Amino acid sequence: MNPLEIAGTALGFLNIVLLIRRSVWNFPAAMAMVTCIGFVLFEAKLYAETGLQAFFFIANIWGWVLWSRAGTSGGPDTAVPVGCMQWPARIAWLGVTAAASIAVGLLLGVHTDAALPMADSAVAGMSVAAQLLLAFRRIENWILWIVVDAVSIVLYLVRDLHLLAVLYAAFLVLSVVGLREWRRAARGEVAV
């Protein structure tokens, strides 16, 4: 088994637990995770997701800054506040995400030897949108992550990346938990 896939998987579990708890420390764990996973995905010829890992690295730096500023006076370990989008914003995000995903998939299909370019680009496009929504602390990020996780499980199994498929199966379960916990936090209920 690839040591980078093992390290990325372990860091992924740490990252999602910290995200559910709304801790800013999820960002350094995510940066280390995406670095490891980026190399694994490149070897598997999943180029859109390889590029996605570079985006994630930069987005996690940005998210770390935003979340650090959003915390209360309790310091960096304080859970950040979260909220929901309005329907016009949701529709706009979905439209842009779909258009970008299709465009990247078509480009990869024509200009590279990418494996499964449309599925690869769909995961990448939805992941970019989810990561941006996460940085803005919007609950809808979890809904997108649930879809991304489900599609990724199949994609990784097809490409014989079994450990990543297991990681994304765990992400799927934890994303459902994250959605529930962030909804409770937005309503002002005490988190578990």
Side-chain angles (χ1 to χ4, degrees):
M1 187 136 313
N2 185 330
L4 287 175
E5 188 176 358
I6 294 168
T9 300
L11 289 163
F13 283 115
L14 174 62
N15 171 248
I16 199 80
V17 168
L18 291 170
L19 268 173
I20 290 170
R21 294 180 178 202
R22 297 177 288 126
S23 169
V24 298
W25 297 110
N26 81 82
F27 293 105
M31 291 162 57
M33 173 190 69
V34 300
T35 300
C36 295
I37 290 175
F39 287 106
V40 173
L41 294 172
F42 183 79
E43 289 175 6
K45 294 186 177 186
L46 294 171
Y47 302 130
E49 289 193 62
T50 301
L52 178 63
Q53 303 314 302
F55 165 79
F56 280 156
F57 191 89
I58 294 165
N60 277 295
I61 293 170
W62 177 58
W64 197 356
V65 170
L66 290 179
W67 279 39
S68 295
R69 291 179 183 165
T72 61
S73 60
D77 291 325
T78 303
V80 297
V82 296
C84 291
M85 299 168 61
Q86 299 298 317
W87 274 106
R90 288 177 183 161
I91 293 167
W93 276 87
L94 286 173
V96 170
T97 300
S101 298
I102 292 168
V104 170
L106 292 172
L107 287 171
L108 287 175
V110 171
H111 297 291
T112 72
D113 64 344
L116 306 166
M118 292 307 285
D120 187 19
S121 65
V123 168
M126 288 185 293
S127 296
V128 168
Q131 185 68 34
L132 293 173
L133 291 173
L134 184 141
F136 291 129
R137 301 176 327 276
R138 294 296 173 251
I139 291 170
E140 290 83 358
N141 88 84
W142 290 108
I143 296 166
L144 274 176
W145 285 127
I146 289 167
V147 175
V148 165
D149 296 338
V151 174
S152 293
I153 292 165
V154 175
L155 183 62
Y156 294 150
L157 287 173
V158 168
R159 297 301 298 159
D160 293 324
L161 299 170
H162 301 288
L163 197 52
L164 284 180
V166 169
L167 174 63
Y168 276 75
F171 279 177
L172 178 59
V173 171
L174 292 170
S175 291
V176 171
V177 173
L179 177 61
R180 185 192 75 213
E181 290 301 314
W182 279 36
R183 281 182 173 163
R184 290 179 69 198
R187 290 190 305 259
E189 296 176 16
V190 177
V192 178

